[in-house]
Amino acid sequence: MNYFTGQAPFLVNYPSINYIREIIMKNVLTCLLLSGFLSVNAQKKVNVDQQMKLAVQQYKGMLDTLKDTKLFPQSTKPDGTMKTMESSWWCSGFFSGSLWYLNEYTKDKELQQAAEKWTVALEKEQYNTGTHDLGFMLYCSYGNGYRLTKNAAYKPILLQGAASLATRFHPEVGLIKSWNSFGKYNYPVIIDNMMNLEYLFWAAKVSGNKKYYDLSVTHADNTIKNHFRPDNSSYHVVLYDSSNGNVLAKKTAQGFTDESAWARGQAWGLYGYTVMYRETKDKKYLKKAMDIASFYMKHPNLPADKIAYWDFNAKDIPNVARDASASAIVASALLELAKYADKANSKAYYKFAEDVLVSLSSPAYFAATGNNHFILKHSTGHFLANSEVDTPIIYADYYYIEALLRYDRFNKKG
Ligand code: GLY
Protein backbone atom coordinates (compact mmCIF):
# COMPACT_ATOMS: atom_id res chain seq x y z
CA MET A 1 0.00 0.00 0.00
CA ASN A 2 1.23 3.49 -0.81
CA TYR A 3 0.47 5.54 2.27
CA PHE A 4 0.38 8.81 0.34
CA THR A 5 -1.90 7.85 -2.46
CA GLY A 6 -3.73 5.07 -0.83
CA GLN A 7 -3.08 3.03 -3.93
CA ALA A 8 -1.55 -0.39 -4.22
CA PRO A 9 2.07 -0.09 -5.40
CA PHE A 10 1.42 -1.58 -8.76
CA LEU A 11 -1.21 1.11 -9.40
CA VAL A 12 1.10 4.11 -8.66
CA ASN A 13 2.34 6.03 -11.78
CA TYR A 14 6.14 6.15 -11.31
CA PRO A 15 7.85 9.03 -13.23
CA SER A 16 9.72 7.90 -16.30
CA ILE A 17 13.52 7.80 -16.32
CA ASN A 18 13.58 10.69 -18.84
CA TYR A 19 11.44 12.82 -16.54
CA ILE A 20 13.80 12.17 -13.59
CA ARG A 21 16.80 13.02 -15.80
CA GLU A 22 15.14 16.30 -16.85
CA ILE A 23 14.43 17.30 -13.22
CA ILE A 24 18.04 16.57 -12.18
CA MET A 25 19.43 18.57 -15.11
CA LYS A 26 17.16 21.53 -14.31
CA ASN A 27 18.29 21.54 -10.67
CA VAL A 28 21.95 21.25 -11.57
CA LEU A 29 21.57 24.17 -14.00
CA THR A 30 19.79 26.31 -11.41
CA CYS A 31 22.55 25.59 -8.87
CA LEU A 32 25.27 26.47 -11.38
CA LEU A 33 23.55 29.71 -12.39
CA LEU A 34 22.95 30.65 -8.78
CA SER A 35 26.52 29.93 -7.70
CA GLY A 36 27.81 31.95 -10.70
CA PHE A 37 25.53 34.84 -9.78
CA LEU A 38 26.58 34.69 -6.14
CA SER A 39 30.28 34.55 -6.95
CA VAL A 40 30.03 37.57 -9.32
CA ASN A 41 28.17 39.50 -6.64
CA ALA A 42 30.49 38.31 -3.90
CA GLN A 43 33.35 39.91 -5.87
CA LYS A 44 31.67 43.31 -5.84
CA LYS A 45 32.82 45.11 -2.73
CA VAL A 46 31.22 48.46 -3.50
CA ASN A 47 27.46 48.83 -3.50
CA VAL A 48 27.18 51.17 -6.49
CA ASP A 49 23.43 51.47 -6.23
CA GLN A 50 23.57 52.58 -2.62
CA GLN A 51 26.45 55.02 -3.20
CA MET A 52 24.67 56.55 -6.20
CA LYS A 53 21.45 56.99 -4.23
CA LEU A 54 23.31 58.77 -1.44
CA ALA A 55 25.21 60.89 -3.96
CA VAL A 56 21.94 61.93 -5.64
CA GLN A 57 20.51 62.86 -2.25
CA GLN A 58 23.54 65.06 -1.57
CA TYR A 59 23.47 66.74 -4.97
CA LYS A 60 19.73 67.37 -4.88
CA GLY A 61 20.30 68.96 -1.48
CA MET A 62 23.06 71.08 -3.02
CA LEU A 63 20.81 72.16 -5.90
CA ASP A 64 18.26 73.38 -3.36
CA THR A 65 20.85 75.67 -1.77
CA LEU A 66 21.98 77.31 -5.04
CA LYS A 67 20.09 80.46 -5.97
CA ASP A 68 21.15 80.98 -9.60
CA THR A 69 23.76 79.64 -12.03
CA LYS A 70 26.23 82.52 -11.74
CA LEU A 71 28.43 80.89 -9.12
CA PHE A 72 29.41 77.23 -9.27
CA PRO A 73 30.05 74.98 -6.24
CA GLN A 74 33.77 74.43 -5.72
CA SER A 75 34.80 73.38 -2.20
CA THR A 76 34.47 74.23 1.49
CA LYS A 77 36.14 77.27 3.04
CA PRO A 78 38.05 77.05 6.34
CA ASP A 79 35.01 78.65 8.06
CA GLY A 80 32.87 75.72 6.91
CA THR A 81 30.81 77.56 4.29
CA MET A 82 30.71 76.67 0.61
CA LYS A 83 33.31 78.21 -1.68
CA THR A 84 31.96 79.01 -5.15
CA MET A 85 33.58 80.04 -8.44
CA GLU A 86 32.76 81.84 -11.67
CA SER A 87 32.45 79.98 -14.96
CA SER A 88 35.97 81.02 -16.00
CA TRP A 89 37.61 79.02 -13.19
CA TRP A 90 39.08 75.68 -14.30
CA CYS A 91 36.72 73.61 -12.14
CA SER A 92 33.44 75.12 -13.37
CA GLY A 93 32.42 72.12 -15.55
CA PHE A 94 32.61 69.49 -12.83
CA PHE A 95 29.27 70.29 -11.20
CA SER A 96 27.16 69.82 -14.33
CA GLY A 97 29.44 66.91 -15.28
CA SER A 98 28.62 65.18 -12.00
CA LEU A 99 24.90 65.87 -12.54
CA TRP A 100 25.14 64.30 -16.01
CA TYR A 101 26.83 61.20 -14.56
CA LEU A 102 24.19 60.88 -11.83
CA ASN A 103 21.48 61.28 -14.47
CA GLU A 104 23.20 58.65 -16.61
CA TYR A 105 22.97 56.13 -13.78
CA THR A 106 19.52 57.00 -12.45
CA LYS A 107 17.73 58.34 -15.57
CA ASP A 108 16.22 60.90 -13.17
CA LYS A 109 14.70 63.75 -15.26
CA GLU A 110 15.16 66.28 -12.46
CA LEU A 111 18.90 65.64 -12.58
CA GLN A 112 18.91 66.00 -16.36
CA GLN A 113 17.15 69.37 -16.14
CA ALA A 114 19.64 70.55 -13.53
CA ALA A 115 22.56 69.28 -15.62
CA GLU A 116 21.24 71.18 -18.65
CA LYS A 117 20.80 74.36 -16.63
CA TRP A 118 24.33 74.24 -15.19
CA THR A 119 25.83 73.27 -18.55
CA VAL A 120 24.43 76.23 -20.50
CA ALA A 121 25.69 78.50 -17.73
CA LEU A 122 29.17 77.80 -19.15
CA GLU A 123 28.36 78.81 -22.71
CA LYS A 124 30.58 81.88 -22.94
CA GLU A 125 33.67 79.85 -22.04
CA GLN A 126 33.72 78.47 -25.59
CA TYR A 127 35.51 81.70 -26.57
CA ASN A 128 37.97 81.63 -23.67
CA THR A 129 41.47 81.47 -25.17
CA GLY A 130 43.12 82.49 -21.91
CA THR A 131 43.19 79.00 -20.39
CA HIS A 132 44.19 75.45 -21.29
CA ASP A 133 41.50 74.08 -18.98
CA LEU A 134 38.69 74.06 -21.55
CA GLY A 135 38.79 70.26 -21.52
CA PHE A 136 37.75 70.22 -17.87
CA MET A 137 35.32 73.12 -18.26
CA LEU A 138 33.54 72.17 -21.48
CA TYR A 139 34.11 68.48 -22.12
CA CYS A 140 33.03 67.33 -18.63
CA SER A 141 29.87 69.45 -18.97
CA TYR A 142 28.82 69.90 -22.61
CA GLY A 143 30.78 66.80 -23.62
CA ASN A 144 28.88 64.49 -21.28
CA GLY A 145 25.63 66.26 -22.11
CA TYR A 146 26.19 65.73 -25.83
CA ARG A 147 27.19 62.10 -25.35
CA LEU A 148 24.02 61.40 -23.40
CA THR A 149 21.43 63.53 -25.21
CA LYS A 150 22.90 64.36 -28.64
CA ASN A 151 21.47 67.85 -28.07
CA ALA A 152 22.32 69.56 -31.37
CA ALA A 153 22.84 72.92 -29.67
CA TYR A 154 25.83 71.56 -27.73
CA LYS A 155 27.89 70.53 -30.75
CA PRO A 156 28.87 73.96 -32.15
CA ILE A 157 29.68 75.17 -28.65
CA LEU A 158 31.97 72.20 -28.11
CA LEU A 159 33.64 72.71 -31.48
CA GLN A 160 34.19 76.42 -30.83
CA GLY A 161 35.69 75.54 -27.43
CA ALA A 162 38.09 73.07 -29.07
CA ALA A 163 39.13 75.75 -31.58
CA SER A 164 39.79 78.16 -28.70
CA LEU A 165 41.86 75.55 -26.88
CA ALA A 166 43.88 74.78 -30.01
CA THR A 167 44.99 78.43 -30.26
CA ARG A 168 47.26 77.67 -27.31
CA PHE A 169 49.24 75.10 -29.32
CA HIS A 170 52.30 76.64 -30.95
CA PRO A 171 54.05 74.38 -33.51
CA GLU A 172 57.50 75.81 -32.74
CA VAL A 173 57.15 74.43 -29.19
CA GLY A 174 54.92 71.45 -29.95
CA LEU A 175 52.78 71.70 -26.81
CA ILE A 176 49.60 73.40 -25.64
CA LYS A 177 50.63 76.29 -23.40
CA SER A 178 49.11 75.88 -19.94
CA TRP A 179 49.44 79.24 -18.25
CA ASN A 180 50.52 82.54 -19.79
CA SER A 181 53.46 82.81 -17.42
CA PHE A 182 55.15 81.17 -14.47
CA GLY A 183 57.64 83.46 -12.72
CA LYS A 184 60.04 84.71 -15.39
CA TYR A 185 58.99 82.01 -17.87
CA ASN A 186 56.41 82.54 -20.60
CA TYR A 187 55.67 79.01 -21.84
CA PRO A 188 54.74 76.75 -18.91
CA VAL A 189 53.19 73.34 -19.52
CA ILE A 190 51.75 71.34 -16.63
CA ILE A 191 51.12 67.59 -16.50
CA ASP A 192 47.42 68.36 -15.90
CA ASN A 193 47.27 69.49 -19.53
CA MET A 194 47.19 65.83 -20.63
CA MET A 195 43.55 65.90 -19.51
CA ASN A 196 42.55 68.25 -22.35
CA LEU A 197 43.50 65.87 -25.12
CA GLU A 198 40.38 63.69 -24.83
CA TYR A 199 38.33 66.75 -25.81
CA LEU A 200 40.52 67.39 -28.86
CA PHE A 201 40.23 63.76 -30.00
CA TRP A 202 36.47 64.18 -29.84
CA ALA A 203 36.72 67.39 -31.89
CA ALA A 204 38.92 65.64 -34.49
CA LYS A 205 36.32 62.89 -34.95
CA VAL A 206 33.29 65.17 -35.04
CA SER A 207 34.75 67.97 -37.19
CA GLY A 208 36.90 65.75 -39.41
CA ASN A 209 39.76 68.18 -38.73
CA LYS A 210 42.88 66.03 -38.26
CA LYS A 211 44.76 69.00 -36.81
CA TYR A 212 43.24 68.25 -33.38
CA TYR A 213 44.41 64.64 -33.50
CA ASP A 214 47.91 65.58 -34.63
CA LEU A 215 48.47 68.28 -32.05
CA SER A 216 47.28 65.98 -29.28
CA VAL A 217 49.80 63.32 -30.34
CA THR A 218 52.59 65.92 -30.55
CA HIS A 219 51.70 67.29 -27.11
CA ALA A 220 51.62 63.79 -25.58
CA ASP A 221 54.94 62.81 -27.19
CA ASN A 222 56.73 65.93 -25.98
CA THR A 223 55.26 65.39 -22.53
CA ILE A 224 56.67 61.85 -22.46
CA LYS A 225 60.03 63.26 -23.50
CA ASN A 226 60.26 66.07 -20.99
CA HIS A 227 57.87 65.62 -18.09
CA PHE A 228 58.93 62.26 -16.63
CA ARG A 229 61.73 61.17 -14.36
CA PRO A 230 63.48 57.80 -14.74
CA ASP A 231 61.17 56.32 -12.05
CA ASN A 232 58.10 57.38 -14.12
CA SER A 233 56.95 60.01 -11.67
CA SER A 234 56.29 63.37 -13.32
CA TYR A 235 57.29 66.96 -12.82
CA HIS A 236 54.40 69.32 -12.39
CA VAL A 237 55.58 72.24 -14.56
CA VAL A 238 58.01 72.20 -17.48
CA LEU A 239 59.11 75.61 -18.73
CA TYR A 240 59.82 75.91 -22.44
CA ASP A 241 61.57 78.42 -24.64
CA SER A 242 58.69 79.80 -26.70
CA SER A 243 60.90 80.32 -29.76
CA ASN A 244 62.16 76.76 -30.21
CA GLY A 245 60.66 74.41 -27.62
CA ASN A 246 63.90 73.88 -25.65
CA VAL A 247 63.36 72.97 -22.01
CA LEU A 248 64.50 75.80 -19.73
CA ALA A 249 63.53 74.40 -16.32
CA LYS A 250 61.44 71.79 -14.51
CA LYS A 251 59.56 72.93 -11.44
CA THR A 252 56.44 72.56 -9.34
CA ALA A 253 53.50 74.84 -8.67
CA GLN A 254 51.36 72.68 -6.37
CA GLY A 255 53.76 69.96 -5.25
CA PHE A 256 56.03 69.86 -2.20
CA THR A 257 59.29 70.46 -4.09
CA ASP A 258 60.38 70.61 -7.72
CA GLU A 259 61.60 67.00 -7.43
CA SER A 260 58.66 65.58 -5.48
CA ALA A 261 55.76 63.53 -6.84
CA TRP A 262 52.62 65.63 -6.38
CA ALA A 263 49.83 63.04 -6.06
CA ARG A 264 47.24 64.64 -8.35
CA GLY A 265 49.87 65.24 -11.01
CA GLN A 266 50.61 61.51 -11.12
CA ALA A 267 46.86 60.89 -11.40
CA TRP A 268 46.45 63.33 -14.32
CA GLY A 269 49.33 61.66 -16.16
CA LEU A 270 47.93 58.16 -15.64
CA TYR A 271 44.48 59.18 -16.83
CA GLY A 272 45.88 61.16 -19.77
CA TYR A 273 48.04 58.35 -21.18
CA THR A 274 45.22 55.83 -20.74
CA VAL A 275 43.08 58.10 -22.94
CA MET A 276 45.99 58.44 -25.40
CA TYR A 277 46.06 54.67 -25.80
CA ARG A 278 42.28 54.47 -26.18
CA GLU A 279 42.30 57.09 -28.94
CA THR A 280 45.42 56.04 -30.90
CA LYS A 281 46.03 52.38 -29.99
CA ASP A 282 49.75 53.26 -29.96
CA LYS A 283 51.43 50.85 -27.54
CA LYS A 284 53.92 53.44 -26.30
CA TYR A 285 51.06 55.23 -24.55
CA LEU A 286 49.83 52.01 -22.98
CA LYS A 287 53.35 51.41 -21.67
CA LYS A 288 53.52 54.94 -20.27
CA ALA A 289 50.17 54.56 -18.50
CA MET A 290 51.25 51.20 -17.06
CA ASP A 291 54.61 52.60 -15.92
CA ILE A 292 52.87 55.48 -14.13
CA ALA A 293 50.40 53.03 -12.56
CA SER A 294 53.31 50.96 -11.32
CA PHE A 295 55.03 53.98 -9.76
CA TYR A 296 51.82 55.01 -8.03
CA MET A 297 50.53 51.62 -6.90
CA LYS A 298 53.85 50.36 -5.53
CA HIS A 299 54.95 53.56 -3.83
CA PRO A 300 56.14 52.89 -0.26
CA ASN A 301 54.39 56.07 0.91
CA LEU A 302 50.97 54.97 -0.23
CA PRO A 303 48.81 54.50 2.91
CA ALA A 304 47.12 51.17 3.68
CA ASP A 305 43.68 52.49 2.64
CA LYS A 306 45.21 53.52 -0.73
CA ILE A 307 44.11 57.15 -0.44
CA ALA A 308 47.24 59.10 -1.34
CA TYR A 309 48.90 61.79 0.73
CA TRP A 310 48.73 65.08 -1.17
CA ASP A 311 52.34 64.55 -2.28
CA PHE A 312 54.22 61.25 -2.19
CA ASN A 313 57.24 63.06 -0.76
CA ALA A 314 55.42 65.46 1.56
CA LYS A 315 57.13 66.40 4.79
CA ASP A 316 55.85 64.67 7.96
CA ILE A 317 54.19 61.67 6.30
CA PRO A 318 52.09 59.99 7.75
CA ASN A 319 50.77 63.08 9.57
CA VAL A 320 49.83 65.04 6.45
CA ALA A 321 46.67 65.74 4.47
CA ARG A 322 45.34 63.21 1.98
CA ASP A 323 44.08 63.91 -1.50
CA ALA A 324 40.90 61.95 -2.14
CA SER A 325 40.63 63.63 -5.55
CA ALA A 326 43.91 62.10 -6.77
CA SER A 327 42.68 58.70 -5.62
CA ALA A 328 39.31 59.06 -7.36
CA ILE A 329 41.05 60.05 -10.63
CA VAL A 330 43.40 57.07 -10.31
CA ALA A 331 40.53 54.64 -9.61
CA SER A 332 38.68 55.84 -12.68
CA ALA A 333 41.78 55.67 -14.89
CA LEU A 334 42.72 52.18 -13.68
CA LEU A 335 39.24 50.86 -14.42
CA GLU A 336 39.79 51.90 -18.02
CA LEU A 337 43.42 50.75 -18.16
CA ALA A 338 42.29 47.34 -16.90
CA LYS A 339 40.47 46.91 -20.23
CA TYR A 340 43.68 47.32 -22.24
CA ALA A 341 46.33 45.62 -20.09
CA ASP A 342 47.37 41.95 -20.05
CA LYS A 343 45.39 39.66 -17.76
CA ALA A 344 47.63 39.83 -14.67
CA ASN A 345 47.95 43.63 -14.72
CA SER A 346 44.29 44.05 -15.56
CA LYS A 347 43.37 42.10 -12.44
CA ALA A 348 45.76 44.18 -10.33
CA TYR A 349 44.33 47.46 -11.69
CA TYR A 350 40.77 46.38 -11.06
CA LYS A 351 41.61 45.24 -7.53
CA PHE A 352 43.48 48.47 -6.74
CA ALA A 353 40.64 50.62 -8.09
CA GLU A 354 38.13 48.60 -6.13
CA ASP A 355 40.15 49.02 -2.92
CA VAL A 356 40.24 52.78 -3.51
CA LEU A 357 36.47 52.84 -4.09
CA VAL A 358 35.89 50.81 -0.93
CA SER A 359 37.86 53.42 1.05
CA LEU A 360 36.21 56.39 -0.66
CA SER A 361 32.77 54.85 -0.09
CA SER A 362 33.40 54.40 3.64
CA PRO A 363 32.31 57.00 6.21
CA ALA A 364 35.96 58.05 6.55
CA TYR A 365 35.75 59.73 3.12
CA PHE A 366 32.12 59.58 1.97
CA ALA A 367 29.63 62.09 3.37
CA ALA A 368 26.05 60.82 3.24
CA THR A 369 24.90 64.09 4.85
CA GLY A 370 26.41 67.50 5.64
CA ASN A 371 29.77 68.38 3.94
CA ASN A 372 28.02 71.28 2.14
CA HIS A 373 26.36 68.50 0.13
CA PHE A 374 29.63 67.48 -1.53
CA ILE A 375 30.08 63.73 -1.67
CA LEU A 376 33.70 63.21 -0.70
CA LYS A 377 35.75 64.67 2.13
CA HIS A 378 39.57 65.04 2.43
CA SER A 379 40.87 66.43 -0.84
CA THR A 380 43.73 68.87 -1.14
CA GLY A 381 43.90 71.63 -3.75
CA HIS A 382 47.10 73.61 -3.13
CA PHE A 383 48.73 72.62 0.14
CA LEU A 384 51.66 75.03 0.29
CA ALA A 385 49.39 77.99 -0.54
CA ASN A 386 47.12 76.82 2.28
CA SER A 387 44.29 76.73 -0.23
CA GLU A 388 41.69 73.94 -0.10
CA VAL A 389 43.55 71.68 2.31
CA ASP A 390 41.75 68.56 3.58
CA THR A 391 38.38 69.64 2.26
CA PRO A 392 35.66 68.53 -0.14
CA ILE A 393 36.44 69.63 -3.72
CA ILE A 394 34.07 69.32 -6.68
CA TYR A 395 36.45 67.40 -8.99
CA ALA A 396 36.91 64.64 -6.42
CA ASP A 397 33.14 64.05 -6.61
CA TYR A 398 33.18 64.07 -10.43
CA TYR A 399 35.89 61.41 -10.77
CA TYR A 400 34.44 59.33 -7.92
CA ILE A 401 31.05 59.14 -9.68
CA GLU A 402 32.80 58.42 -12.99
CA ALA A 403 34.76 55.63 -11.31
CA LEU A 404 31.56 54.16 -9.83
CA LEU A 405 29.98 54.12 -13.30
CA ARG A 406 33.06 52.41 -14.75
CA TYR A 407 33.15 49.91 -11.88
CA ASP A 408 29.49 49.12 -12.43
CA ARG A 409 29.99 48.63 -16.18
CA PHE A 410 33.10 46.53 -15.60
CA ASN A 411 31.16 44.17 -13.36
CA LYS A 412 28.26 43.91 -15.76
CA LYS A 413 30.36 43.30 -18.87
CA GLY A 414 33.56 41.88 -17.34
N1 GLY B 1 44.63 71.41 -12.59
C1 GLY B 1 44.90 71.94 -11.32
C2 GLY B 1 44.85 70.95 -10.22
O1 GLY B 1 44.86 69.77 -10.42
O2 GLY B 1 44.81 71.38 -9.08
Side-chain angles (χ1 to χ4, degrees):
M1 179 69 76
N2 183 313
Y3 291 100
F4 296 103
T5 62
Q7 288 174 310
F10 57 89
L11 292 176
V12 175
N13 285 330
Y14 286 109
S16 74
I17 196 77
N18 277 346
Y19 179 71
I20 293 171
R21 201 179 284 148
E22 199 182 311
I23 293 287
I24 291 172
M25 282 310 288
K26 266 189 189 156
N27 281 326
V28 167
L29 263 175
T30 310
C31 284
L32 281 175
L33 281 174
L34 203 63
S35 66
F37 176 78
L38 288 177
S39 67
V40 165
N41 275 286
Q43 283 165 13
K44 286 200 220 168
K45 293 191 187 149
V46 181
N47 186 336
V48 173
D49 217 42
Q50 175 192 289
Q51 295 311 116
M52 287 290 194
K53 276 194 185 115
L54 292 170
V56 167
Q57 220 168 280
Q58 282 288 60
Y59 268 46
K60 284 195 173 174
M62 190 187 285
L63 285 165
D64 287 342
T65 69
L66 300 167
K67 283 190 281 298
D68 52 42
T69 54
K70 284 196 186 76
L71 292 173
F72 298 70
Q74 180 176 329
S75 59
T76 291
K77 293 187 209 166
D79 68 5
T81 59
M82 183 191 273
K83 181 175 174 180
T84 55
M85 64 189 133
E86 298 197 345
S87 68
S88 57
W89 184 240
W90 75 274
C91 306
S92 58
F94 292 119
F95 183 48
S96 54
S98 300
L99 292 167
W100 281 121
Y101 277 151
L102 292 174
N103 164 251
E104 180 172 2
Y105 186 80
T106 59
K107 311 283 178 265
D108 181 331
K109 284 275 167 217
E110 196 185 319
L111 289 169
Q112 180 175 340
Q113 279 160 12
E116 282 164 356
K117 191 169 116 180
W118 284 90
T119 293
V120 298
L122 294 156
E123 189 174 344
K124 71 175 163 59
E125 300 309 326
Q126 65 184 302
Y127 303 109
N128 188 343
T129 53
T131 177
H132 74 134
D133 285 317
L134 292 179
F136 289 125
M137 294 152 74
L138 297 177
Y139 198 58
C140 298
S141 53
Y142 279 99
N144 275 313
Y146 187 71
R147 179 176 62 81
L148 292 171
T149 65
K150 292 286 170 290
N151 183 338
Y154 292 176
K155 192 167 141 182
I157 293 168
L158 278 164
L159 288 175
Q160 174 57 54
S164 298
L165 172 58
T167 63
R168 299 185 69 82
F169 180 88
H170 298 277
E172 57 281 20
V173 180
L175 289 126
I176 300 165
K177 181 170 164 167
S178 294
W179 304 319
N180 292 338
S181 64
F182 185 73
K184 63 177 181 180
Y185 302 99
N186 70 359
Y187 208 109
V189 178
I190 61 176
I191 188 69
D192 325 27
N193 209 334
M194 285 300 301
M195 297 297 287
N196 291 306
L197 305 182
E198 184 176 21
Y199 180 22
L200 296 178
F201 280 113
W202 174 89
K205 276 178 264 185
V206 171
S207 69
N209 188 343
K210 199 167 169 290
K211 170 183 102 171
Y212 295 126
Y213 183 103
D214 292 341
L215 71 83
S216 298
V217 165
T218 306
H219 181 100
D221 288 350
N222 282 324
T223 301
I224 287 189
K225 203 163 87 195
N226 299 323
H227 245 93
F228 290 88
R229 306 184 183 101
D231 65 359
N232 287 301
S233 67
S234 55
Y235 288 93
H236 186 201
V237 195
V238 176
L239 292 316
Y240 289 92
D241 182 327
S242 57
S243 65
N244 56 19
N246 287 344
V247 174
L248 301 175
K250 299 185 181 192
K251 295 194 172 290
T252 197
Q254 281 161 269
F256 179 50
T257 66
D258 290 345
E259 291 300 326
S260 73
W262 174 51
R264 198 161 54 258
Q266 314 315 304
W268 293 142
L270 171 61
Y271 196 114
Y273 282 101
T274 303
V275 169
M276 282 307 297
Y277 180 68
R278 180 215 302 158
E279 298 296 337
T280 65
K281 292 288 172 268
D282 186 331
K283 291 267 189 225
K284 76 169 175 254
Y285 300 131
L286 178 61
K287 180 173 175 346
K288 195 77 219 171
M290 291 174 74
D291 286 345
I292 302 169
S294 179
F295 170 84
Y296 188 103
M297 290 162 65
K298 293 181 189 151
H299 202 288
N301 284 349
L302 191 72
D305 67 1
K306 295 191 170 65
I307 308 304
Y309 299 112
W310 71 277
D311 189 302
F312 281 101
N313 309 106
K315 200 168 128 228
D316 298 332
I317 284 176
N319 301 315
V320 291
R322 305 293 185 95
D323 185 11
S325 79
S327 306
I329 297 158
V330 163
S332 186
L334 288 178
L335 286 167
E336 177 166 9
L337 193 57
K339 294 198 300 184
Y340 312 138
D342 56 277
K343 217 167 168 185
N345 278 305
S346 169
K347 231 172 125 184
Y349 298 155
Y350 174 87
K351 167 85 174 66
F352 190 96
E354 183 175 61
D355 289 348
V356 170
L357 288 180
V358 167
S359 293
L360 292 180
S361 303
S362 75
Y365 295 94
F366 187 95
T369 58
N371 207 35
N372 280 322
H373 300 287
F374 289 104
I375 303 166
L376 294 185
K377 305 178 265 185
H378 305 308
S379 289
T380 294
H382 191 167
F383 186 89
L384 292 184
N386 200 19
S387 165
E388 298 181 319
V389 177
D390 193 16
T391 186
I393 308 183
I394 189 76
Y395 45 82
D397 287 5
Y398 176 86
Y399 289 102
Y400 171 73
I401 305 168
E402 182 183 88
L404 282 182
L405 281 169
R406 289 180 174 189
Y407 180 74
D408 191 47
R409 274 199 292 270
F410 203 103
N411 285 313
K412 280 180 182 147
K413 287 190 198 136

